[in-house]
Amino acid sequence: MASTSSPDAPRRLGLLRETDQASHAALLGLLPALADAISGDRDLAVLVDLVAQVAAEAPDAALALIHRLPDMPAALADLTSLRKWSLHGLQSHPDSPAQRLRYFRLEDPLLFADQRTELDSAHLLGQRDALLHYLAGFGEAGYRIELHAPQPATLAPLSVAVAAGAAAGGDVIRFPRRCAVAQSGPRDALYRAAVAHAAAHLRFSSLARPAGNRQPMLLALLALVEDARIERLMAAVFPGLWSLWGLFHTATRETAGFDLAGLAARLARALHDPAYTDGNAWVQSGQKWFEQAATTDLHDLAAFDHIGRQLAIGVEKMRLALPQHYRPQPAYRDDNTVLWHMNDTLRDDGRRTVAQQDVELRAAHQVPPALRQIQLDTRRRTRHAEWDHRLDALRDAWVTVLEAPPRLRPSGPAPRAAAPAQRLKGQQHRPDRAVRLTRLAEGDELDLNAALDNLIDLRASGAPDGRVFRRHGRRRRSSAVLVLMDLSQSTGRFAPGTFTTVLDIEKQAARAVVTALAGDTDRVAVHGFASNGRHAVHYQRIKDFDEPFDAEAQARLKGLQGSLSTRMGAALRHASAALAGQTADHKVIVMLTDGEPSDVDAVEDDYLVEDARHAVTSAAAGGIRTFCLTLDRQAD
């Protein structure tokens, strides 16, 4: 039976009570009923931490979660899946409390319990960077790759979906969490085929065409013909794609059958491979019409639309219905929603309703009221991932960094930075193997090019030069240093034994670093951060790399004040992104702080500490070294 006898359990329950008293009381009252489902104090601690994290952001959702716990023993037996499900609910509905509450009341907590789906999702996320590079090779570098929302394992996997534009949630390609093939080799080929097919749409398709009152069956057949058209065009530019896509065109009479989904899969194969023969008359007709149009002009969209309509007429004659959960085949093809713009204001007969017409008429003759003045939020928002050490995974786009818009700078050349006050002696005379001085009278090694020229001069009875040596030159290595200041509320207290605040010490340290290092080869920036939960990590640029440390920048540094909390991981990732855009031999982050990471919505032990550790490791993988200077001897 789970109990609170462990020394850690009362403390965690106390943190939950401080976070939300109603959630604490509800969970405490249910503990006897959960005794058989929770195996011990460790699982109880994990559950309390999860409830506390949900309650810190959405107390009503935490109560809904608690009330469902007695009815889902399977979820309590797999707390990792329950954690993924809960955090997915918080991430999916950040701005809609009603939808978030509905999620916690109605959705299945076992959505993340399917092991096959979780393995497929992890594999795809591991291949995401490679797939983005693959997509960039086709000229589409602005897209991102994400996963579909989870669904019960009993349903067929969703198709790949391509979305373009702000109205569709940005430029993104969404993959199903469960892959249609289980083997690793074909699975990776399937991902590449899907990315190449999406690139073909973006390159050759007419996107967001008005769907009007076309029936779903007609839209499906028009899309099938369009898929074949763009693949034929894409394969003409990249011939290797024909064999890649051909790996998955395996539909036959025996494997696909005679329903509309099966005939569509057989037709897709026939349109992809002109050498394929099918015994069905409808498939044969579609293949013949397509080849005739392809021979004439593959860019004639109207001609291929006509083929789709003719195929739809044939389907109606055969009295075949489109399956309810129709998925385009093969599995690498997307759901083709990127092709159509669905107009909600149209009836099936293509006319607006009477009520809508009445509203439009009244609006046309109504004098608009005075416009209400609103304050626009011009801050830039950047989403960053965050490391969850309990799940051993990154939570994509979990934290939002808020930053003021760039400052307007006067036109003209930037002022030259002041010369550094000091130079490290050893760095001035360190040889740099990237610089070679050639054709020298003496040196460290033989200059082969100069030696050959001397030999040619000797053979030609000329006077050789004699300078046949080379050595490594000396060059001052450049560096980009970003001083990252902790501007949380705790920096406003006095350092022990002094009457100087921690923030004042940070300001002095930042000023010293800028004065000592700013120069032609060392470029310095000073940034600061403070947080108020994962949705509001405030980031300030006191001095940027291409700005002088003039009176204006010094005034900004002097006017800094401490407030809010310390979410270090998000700030480190944002600073790493800023450094990644700099050209320098050495890239360094120097963080000035007085303690460990903390935030108002993070109540779990070591959660933000492990996230900061992961951020430092990720920065090191990108060639950025990170140092932390703790300005309080008694700090954690």
Side-chain angles (χ1 to χ4, degrees), residues 13 16-17 20-31 63 66:
L13 287 169
L16 175 59
R17 182 175 59 248
D20 183 51
Q21 294 185 358
S23 298
H24 172 266
L27 181 61
L28 201 62
L30 284 178
L31 285 182
L63 286 174
I66 294 170

Side-chain angles (χ1 to χ4, degrees), residues 324-345:
Q324 183 179 1
H325 299 290
Y326 171 75
R327 305 281 190 267
Q329 293 297 322
Y332 70 81
R333 288 187 171 176
D334 60 277
D335 58 9
N336 289 303
T337 53
V338 71
L339 297 178
W340 309 110
H341 180 269
M342 302 298 177
N343 192 348
D344 296 335
T345 64

Side-chain angles (χ1 to χ4, degrees), residues 4-66:
T4 59
S5 59
S6 170
D8 197 39
R11 183 180 63 83
R12 293 175 184 268
L13 287 169
L15 289 175
L16 175 59
R17 182 175 59 248
E18 295 175 3
T19 304
D20 183 51
Q21 294 185 358
S23 298
H24 172 266
L27 181 61
L28 201 62
L30 284 178
L31 285 182
L34 304 178
D36 295 333
I38 300 179
S39 59
D41 290 331
R42 183 179 179 277
D43 285 350
L44 174 62
V46 172
L47 178 62
V48 174
D49 282 344
L50 173 59
V51 172
Q53 182 165 4
V54 177
E57 188 167 339
D60 54 346
L63 286 174
L65 170 63
I66 294 170

Side-chain angles (χ1 to χ4, degrees), residues 6 20 35 104 134 245 250 252-253 305 324 330 411 417 432 436 457 467 475 480 547 557 563 573 580 589 600 604:
S6 170
D20 183 51
F104 279 90
Y134 188 66
W245 287 323
T250 58
T252 62
R253 171 180 175 178
D305 280 353
Q324 183 179 1
S411 58
D432 182 4
R436 292 184 179 181
D457 291 338
R467 295 177 297 177
R475 175 174 64 88
E547 289 182 329
L557 179 64
S563 63
R573 289 185 177 88
I589 296 176
V600 293
E604 300 180 32

Side-chain angles (χ1 to χ4, degrees), residues 271-340:
L271 300 186
H272 173 79
D273 184 7
Y276 171 73
T277 57
D278 194 282
N280 183 269
W282 182 78
V283 175
Q284 293 175 357
S285 299
Q287 186 179 34
K288 181 183 69 174
W289 296 333
F290 183 86
E291 294 302 329
Q292 290 174 351
T295 304
T296 305
D297 184 8
L298 276 170
H299 295 279
D300 187 359
L301 189 59
F304 289 94
D305 280 353
H306 179 70
I307 295 174
R309 295 189 188 93
Q310 292 298 111
L311 290 171
I313 293 173
V315 169
E316 290 179 348
K317 291 180 179 178
M318 292 186 290
R319 299 184 182 278
L320 296 178
L322 188 71
Q324 183 179 1
H325 299 290
Y326 171 75
R327 305 281 190 267
Q329 293 297 322
Y332 70 81
R333 288 187 171 176
D334 60 277
D335 58 9
N336 289 303
T337 53
V338 71
L339 297 178
W340 309 110

Side-chain angles (χ1 to χ4, degrees), residues 218-229:
L218 175 58
L219 293 178
L221 294 177
L222 290 173
L224 189 154
V225 176
E226 174 67 4
D227 286 340
R229 184 186 74 88

